[in-house]
Amino acid sequence: MYWLINGKPPLWIIGFSNLLLYFKFLLFFRVFEPFGVYFVLILGVAKNIYIFLVILTFIIFGFAHAFFIILRPTNDDKENDPFNLATKYNSINPDGTINPTPTLIQLPNSNTNMFDWFPTSILAMYLILTGDSGSLSSWTYRETPTMTLLLVVFTFFTTIYLMNLFIGLLSKAIEDYDKHEEFLLQKAKVIMEIELFYIFPCQRKNKDYFPDWIYYDVPANEVRRLINAIDNNQTEFDIHTPIISEKLRKLVNIPEPVNGKESNEELKQQIKNMQELLNKFIKNSNGSKNDKIKE
């Protein structure tokens, strides 16, 4: 649209458009189980660990600000000026001594001192987090002890401690979302999105697409397992808990859950009746009492 109205767009728009287009193609594979399982893991894990990423972001910003204050060039301190940090080349005299006056100086660029601008300071700390400490190569560790101390603290608490903790959280989140039910839930959301935004009203009225009744074949043991999980509050639903009819409970032979004071009274009465029946059985039966109780 930008191209048709304003002519050829900038290259960065073309680059990002192509990148987003590939992401869009990837989303089409969500409904296929071999690919959809990985989408469930990627999106589900991201939801679980985003708080950890927020904490890590604040830590990176804090250290970036500290390095920015220490290593930025100021009017009083010219040592951090990019021209003073640039690589210098000295010539060698005929007698083998080194000329103290630099003969050649490499022109500095924006990467010579990444801590003279706060946004590049943040980028430098991110690179250090990934193991690239090239942004600090212009300084020596002995002559800048404050920088060395901050670097040691940052690498220990983030690269060593927090990153290993992050890997542990990823493993736990993957175990929680590595389930077939999570893929089915994602597939249902994709179908819902299609029904809401990608079909016409005439298609919504088509009984082949939207029948009045839908029948499912489900093994009885799976139904019992789900009903028991619902009764014991061992399941979570995004919208509402399914309604289990009395007819379905009788069909799979699962009674209503025992909840509330009235249900407890009924249970006590049933236990009392069973005790009375047991006493009558023992009284009217031959043999020792202990044998009958064991029986």
Side-chain angles (χ1 to χ4, degrees):
M1 294 299 296
Y2 187 98
W3 202 325
L4 292 175
I5 297 174
N6 301 318
K8 185 177 180 180
L11 292 179
W12 68 270
I13 292 182
I14 299 176
F16 277 102
S17 297
N18 283 277
L19 178 62
L20 295 177
L21 184 62
Y22 278 96
F23 288 161
K24 183 66 176 179
F25 286 152
L26 277 176
L27 292 177
F28 291 150
F29 291 93
R30 287 181 298 168
V31 294
F32 303 107
E33 186 168 1
F35 301 93
V37 171
Y38 291 101
F39 278 96
V40 169
L41 292 177
I42 293 172
L43 299 178
V45 170
K47 293 179 182 178
N48 274 13
I49 64 173
Y50 78 95
I51 295 179
F52 179 87
L53 295 179
V54 172
I55 296 173
L56 182 61
T57 301
F58 271 91
I59 294 175
I60 292 176
F61 270 70
F63 276 94
H65 199 178
F67 276 97
F68 171 71
I69 294 174
I70 295 172
L71 301 179
R72 65 174 178 173
T74 60
N75 295 329
D76 299 330
D77 186 5
K78 298 293 184 180
E79 293 182 358
N80 296 327
D81 188 271
F83 281 93
N84 294 328
L85 297 175
T87 304
K88 300 177 179 62
Y89 301 91
N90 298 75
S91 60
I92 300 178
N93 298 321
D95 56 356
T97 60
I98 299 176
N99 187 1
T101 304
T103 305
L104 298 174
I105 298 177
Q106 182 179 352
L107 290 178
N109 54 32
S110 58
N111 290 337
T112 303
N113 185 0
M114 297 183 65
F115 297 97
D116 63 350
W117 191 38
F118 186 68
T120 54
S121 300
I122 298 174
L123 177 60
M125 297 312 301
Y126 172 76
L127 294 176
I128 294 175
L129 183 66
T130 61
D132 182 9
S133 59
S135 57
L136 300 176
S137 60
S138 301
W139 293 271
T140 58
Y141 297 120
R142 177 183 293 183
E143 296 176 357
T144 52
T146 306
M147 181 200 73
T148 305
L149 177 62
L150 287 177
L151 179 62
V152 171
V153 173
F154 179 78
T155 53
F156 177 78
F157 283 102
T158 56
T159 307
I160 298 177
Y161 178 71
L162 289 180
M163 286 298 98
N164 284 282
L165 178 62
F166 182 63
I167 294 173
L169 292 176
L170 285 178
S171 301
K172 183 178 182 301
I174 289 174
E175 292 179 0
D176 295 337
Y177 282 91
D178 191 12
K179 301 175 183 177
H180 182 65
E181 293 83 355
E182 295 293 338
F183 164 73
L184 295 179
L185 180 61
Q186 176 184 258
K187 190 173 182 180
K189 292 179 179 179
V190 173
I191 295 174
M192 179 182 66
E193 181 181 342
I194 294 173
E195 292 175 353
L196 290 175
F197 304 110
Y198 292 94
I199 63 177
F200 297 104
C202 60
Q203 293 175 312
R204 294 191 182 98
K205 297 178 182 179
N206 190 338
K207 293 300 181 180
D208 293 334
Y209 295 163
F210 301 96
D212 294 329
W213 296 91
I214 300 177
Y215 296 91
Y216 299 93
D217 291 332
V218 184
N221 58 340
E222 293 292 333
V223 177
R224 292 191 186 96
R225 183 175 65 85
L226 179 60
I227 293 177
N228 286 325
I230 294 174
D231 292 343
N232 297 321
N233 296 323
Q234 296 178 352
T235 56
E236 295 181 1
F237 299 91
D238 291 342
I239 303 176
H240 56 76
T241 303
I243 299 175
I244 308 301
S245 64
E246 183 179 354
K247 185 176 181 181
L248 178 60
R249 290 183 179 275
K250 291 181 179 179
L251 187 64
V252 297
N253 194 22
I254 293 182
E256 290 285 343
V258 179
N259 292 317
K261 183 177 180 181
E262 297 180 357
S263 299
N264 291 333
E265 294 296 333
E266 293 177 1
L267 181 61
K268 291 179 181 179
Q269 185 64 35
Q270 291 178 5
I271 295 174
K272 184 177 180 181
N273 295 336
M274 291 177 63
Q275 290 175 344
E276 292 177 356
L277 291 174
L278 180 62
N279 291 331
K280 290 181 181 179
F281 173 76
I282 295 173
K283 184 177 180 181
N284 297 329
S285 300
N286 296 326
S288 64
K289 184 175 181 181
N290 292 332
D291 292 341
K292 291 303 177 181
I293 290 177
K294 183 176 180 181
E295 181 182 354

